[in-house]
Amino acid sequence: MANNLRVTLNESTNPWTVDIDQTGNAHHVARSEALQSVDWHLNGNAATGSIVSLTWAGTPPRSGIFGAPTFSPARNSMAMADLNNSSNTTGEWFYILTVAVGGNTYQSNPIATTGVGTATNPSIKNN
């Protein structure tokens, strides 16, 4: 099962920031014996860009929970395996997503939020 996250740019901030739509708890990963995927897709005003990187903000997850990110050929989407198969893999981890659009680089802001469901302090939460 994939947890799909829509990525756009928040033009109301100065400088602009990356927004990850977490509406409907799209960033929550249920416990399962099967390997799952968290997928980021550039949309809207970020659709012509590319994903540069994902870095953990604060305490990173322990080894073995997440796989290395894999990118589509155009780098307009990225997937990361999530093995949430026990109480040892439960937790919430914040990250910074960096994207490049039109020759500029933008990052999510790990401090602020911008409305219901849309986050500039994105996380992955293993329930």
Side-chain angles (χ1 to χ4, degrees):
M1 179 177 148
N3 294 55
N4 293 305
L5 301 171
R6 187 174 172 265
V7 179
T8 59
L9 296 177
N10 180 353
E11 297 179 14
S12 70
T13 60
N14 187 15
W16 294 359
T17 56
V18 173
D19 263 348
I20 294 95
D21 187 352
Q22 300 180 154
T23 301
N25 293 327
H27 63 301
H28 288 212
V29 179
R31 188 172 298 159
S32 172
E33 292 300 316
L35 194 62
Q36 300 179 72
S37 181
V38 180
D39 299 351
W40 292 262
H41 303 275
L42 298 183
N43 286 272
N45 59 359
T48 60
S50 60
I51 298 173
V52 176
S53 66
L54 179 145
T55 55
W56 298 110
T59 304
R62 69 175 182 75
S63 179
I65 296 175
F66 297 105
T70 58
F71 299 89
S72 67
R75 292 185 75 103
N76 60 351
S77 66
M78 177 180 75
M80 189 167 58
D82 184 343
L83 183 60
N84 182 18
N85 62 357
S86 73
S87 60
N88 292 330
T89 59
T90 299
E92 184 171 19
W93 299 276
F94 293 88
Y95 61 88
I96 298 169
L97 187 68
T98 303
V99 302
V101 180
N104 296 307
T105 302
Y106 305 95
Q107 291 186 324
S108 57
N109 180 343
I111 300 168
T113 59
T114 60
V116 176
T118 302
T120 55
N121 62 336
S123 69
I124 299 171
K125 184 173 185 177
N126 284 358
N127 296 323

